[in-house]
Amino acid sequence: MILSTWITTLLGGLLATQGALAITLNVEDPDSIKSAAKTVASAMITYYNNRNEKAIPGKLDDTWWEGGSMFMILIQYWFLTGDTQFNNAVQDGMYWQQGDDNYFPSNYSQYLGNDDQVFWGLAAITAAELNYPERSGQPSWLSLAQGVFNTQVPRWDTSSCHGGMRWQIWPYQSGYQTKNAISNGGLFQLAARLALFTNNGTYATWAERIWDWSASTPLLRKTWVIADSTSCESQCTDHGDYQWTYNYGTYISGAAYMYNYTSGTQKWKDGIVGLLGVSDQFYPTGKTYDDANGNILSELTCEPSGKCDRNQITFKAYFSSWLAFMTTIVPGTSDMVMPKLKTSAQAAALACTGLSDGSHCGTKWYTQSWDGTDGLEQQMAVLGIFNSLLVPFKNEAPFTSDTGGTSKSNPSAGTNSSDVIPQIHPVTTGDRAGAGILTAVFVAGWSLAITWMVRGG
Ligand SMILES: *[C@@H]1O[C@H](CO)[C@@H](O)[C@H](O)[C@H]1NC(C)=O
Ligand SMILES: *[C@@H]1O[C@H](CO)[C@@H](O)[C@H](O)[C@H]1NC(C)=O
Ligand SMILES: *[C@@H]1O[C@H](CO)[C@@H](O)[C@H](O)[C@H]1NC(C)=O
Ligand SMILES: *[C@@H]1O[C@H](CO)[C@@H](O)[C@H](O)[C@H]1NC(C)=O
């Protein structure tokens, strides 16, 4: 023991001087995965603790939505590892940003998109499903997820394309004329999860409505290719076809909950299998991908060019963890998703040799070495895939109200507020002028809005 410790220390020292202290990961050993996850999570939280806006719980610098998605991944992490050390920070942030029980806090609501809000709702339903600790005197996790659902559903927009969620909420936002996959897929997933947790058919009806509507547009094609976005002007016939992992992940996950909720209906199984088939593109082969051999998850639209923005860097976290949780509620999917998640996680560990402590991850995993980038987002992506490896070891399905889920339902959460904004009809010229003034006032106060409007995805 002493000798091997001594050798490890020596070796560690040697490697550290070369800046190449890798994260050890044995994908078949839960203790090894937990330890790797802890290392990656700790480095992530260090970014969080050192942010400029650290006086505001849950608010990351220059982005609001990523707080919610980060907490979602940390809630999974707690469930899968039992490590409670981040729970206070997670609870502080999740409660501070709750708004009127609907994750639409007035500080930021003027420039949020439906996708931004829904990610906090997905964090809340994750907390409900995993029986994440609640604080007394605070709304339940389930009710917070219901609050997001209740504020989004009135925004269902039939003034174009016979339905659909717009990307952005306000007419003065550039994405207002767009209907996109993540906003629709996000609410679809949230509704499906609420249906399974509460057994309330209203949520299932909405989930199916959103899926069917998506399937009437390029957002969910018969070939199972998901377009990222489509425009209201074209009545949702045109399409921006950038391929992103999280778009597939959100529809697959929602279909998985619906499959389970409907006791195994073929429609949802077909969707899962079809979308998984097209998702194979995210395990690319070819010269660019070196010896990845089709086994390493890649955000292929931006990674080879090195142009992933901070949002896009996180997508692999959602894709991998959502697919892994699916295996607990849709029998037969484990063999379809786990092998490539394992090889990807192994590669990700090799990409986490950055900075002096050798625990900072790069953006690309297929290079199987650190690519020189680092950040909270890179850590989050790797934590997501490490979480996914732990799902089969934990081997527990998300709780529902019938199977031990304790979070309390409040079907009318979030509705007693001015945040319930019904769909706003297409802007006339007069409205545009008004919106222009609003925008000017707004941008003066919120220069961050600019960052948000350019968010691609
Ligand atoms: C809103 O902004 C104020 C002023 O910066 C800050 O004190 C408060 O914590 C913010 N609230 C949220 C929910 O971010
Ligand atoms: C739904 O998930 C539960 C929990 O894992 C499982 O026992 C059940 O068989 C699943 N239902 C279907 C139809 O696969
Ligand atoms: C089911 O959900 C809908 C939509 O939120 C709500 O209006 C209704 O009261 C819920 N029903 C039950 C029994 O909770
Ligand atoms: C609705 O909000 C108002 C104003 O905040 C409050 O006075 C009232 O008690 C709320 N009603 C319910 C049912 O929560």
Side-chain angles (χ1 to χ4, degrees):
M1 275 315 263
I2 289 168
L3 183 67
S4 75
T5 308
W6 179 80
I7 290 172
T8 311
T9 311
L10 182 71
L11 216 83
L14 284 173
L15 288 172
T17 54
Q18 300 168 357
L21 226 185
I23 288 176
T24 351
L25 177 69
N26 175 352
V27 298
E28 305 299 343
D29 172 8
D31 290 331
S32 166
I33 305 164
K34 284 179 194 173
S35 152
K38 187 175 179 176
T39 303
V40 167
S42 302
M44 179 173 81
I45 287 293
T46 303
Y47 287 104
Y48 180 67
N49 291 340
N50 293 336
R51 70 197 191 280
N52 295 330
E53 293 188 89
K54 57 174 171 275
I56 306 180
K59 177 65 177 70
L60 273 54
D61 295 340
D62 304 323
T63 173
W64 181 74
W65 84 283
E66 270 186 31
S69 66
M70 179 182 78
F71 293 143
M72 176 178 80
I73 299 296
L74 283 170
I75 290 163
Q76 297 170 347
Y77 169 81
W78 162 82
F79 177 73
L80 296 162
T81 64
D83 182 358
T84 58
Q85 66 172 312
F86 308 121
N87 285 9
N88 269 330
V90 172
Q91 289 177 326
D92 286 348
M94 287 290 289
Y95 290 131
W96 195 259
Q97 296 299 330
Q98 66 183 263
D100 285 340
D101 298 356
N102 57 12
Y103 290 111
F104 204 57
S106 57
N107 278 10
Y108 318 110
S109 56
Q110 293 90 339
Y111 66 86
L112 295 184
N114 283 307
D115 49 355
D116 302 320
Q117 185 191 20
V118 87
F119 263 90
W120 286 84
L122 294 173
I125 188 68
T126 303
E129 289 171 352
L130 304 182
N131 274 344
Y132 196 65
E134 296 182 339
R135 283 185 187 158
S136 61
Q138 291 289 353
S140 69
W141 301 128
L142 176 58
S143 71
L144 290 168
Q146 291 169 312
V148 171
F149 174 88
N150 289 337
T151 39
Q152 294 220 329
V153 155
R155 298 183 200 137
W156 184 254
D157 169 65
T158 52
S159 71
S160 62
C161 319
H162 309 292
M165 299 300 287
R166 293 173 184 262
W167 174 20
Q168 302 289 345
I169 296 164
W170 307 101
Y172 53 79
Q173 290 174 296
S174 59
Y176 182 71
Q177 296 296 343
T178 298
K179 293 186 176 175
N180 65 341
I182 196 62
S183 296
N184 285 283
L187 183 59
F188 162 63
Q189 189 196 125
L190 180 64
R193 294 171 77 165
L194 286 169
L196 186 62
F197 192 101
T198 65
N199 207 20
N200 178 336
T202 307
Y203 299 122
T205 302
W206 269 101
E208 189 152 21
R209 178 176 295 148
I210 300 167
W211 173 274
D212 290 348
W213 174 83
S214 300
S216 75
T217 75
L219 299 183
L220 188 61
R221 291 190 179 94
K222 285 196 175 57
T223 55
W224 302 112
V225 172
I226 293 182
D228 181 62
S229 59
T230 183
S231 76
C232 299
E233 285 97 332
S234 77
Q235 294 297 331
C236 296
T237 55
D238 63 3
H239 38 92
D241 281 336
Y242 284 137
Q243 296 294 291
W244 302 110
T245 54
Y246 79 155
N247 286 336
Y248 287 83
T250 198
Y251 278 98
I252 291 170
S253 171
Y257 282 89
M258 287 304 287
Y259 176 83
N260 196 279
Y261 173 79
T262 59
S263 308
T265 303
Q266 193 64 32
K267 171 178 181 170
W268 303 112
K269 189 64 178 273
D270 290 347
I272 292 165
V273 172
L275 290 170
L276 278 178
V278 179
S279 301
D280 231 25
Q281 67 178 311
F282 298 115
Y283 298 97
T285 53
K287 205 158 174 285
T288 312
Y289 295 95
D290 304 322
D291 50 356
N293 286 332
N295 289 316
I296 302 177
L297 184 63
S298 171
E299 201 61 70
L300 46 75
T301 295
C302 62
E303 285 181 5
S305 62
K307 294 215 168 101
C308 299
D309 69 22
R310 61 188 296 195
N311 305 297
Q312 294 154 0
I313 291 169
T314 67
F315 294 169
K316 289 181 292 191
Y318 323 132
F319 179 83
S320 53
S321 60
W322 287 337
L323 261 52
F325 274 102
M326 165 178 72
T327 67
T328 67
I329 53 174
V330 186
T333 48
S334 185
D335 290 346
M336 302 170 80
V337 304
M338 289 314 297
K340 288 189 182 197
L341 291 179
K342 282 184 190 172
T343 45
S344 300
Q346 197 74 71
L350 294 170
C352 294
T353 58
L355 306 188
S356 56
D357 64 357
S359 60
H360 287 74
C361 308
T363 305
K364 302 171 195 176
W365 301 342
Y366 63 83
T367 56
Q368 301 181 62
S369 61
W370 187 48
D371 65 8
T373 69
D374 72 281
L376 183 149
E377 290 79 7
Q378 282 87 342
Q379 300 305 119
M380 198 201 300
V382 175
L383 184 56
I385 198 156
F386 287 178
N387 280 349
S388 77
L389 297 188
L390 290 168
V391 170
F393 290 109
K394 180 85 177 176
N395 197 22
E396 268 179 39
F399 297 112
T400 71
S401 58
D402 293 334
T403 65
T406 53
S407 200
K408 291 271 176 303
S409 175
N410 175 6
S412 59
T415 55
N416 183 27
S417 88
S418 56
D419 300 339
V420 181
I421 307 154
Q423 60 173 42
I424 305 163
H425 284 285
V427 273
T428 62
T429 316
D431 290 340
R432 273 214 179 91
I437 293 161
L438 247 181
T439 309
V441 170
F442 167 70
V443 167
W446 299 102
S447 55
L448 288 182
I450 301 303
T451 319
W452 277 88
M453 285 175 186
V454 299
R455 179 166 158 222

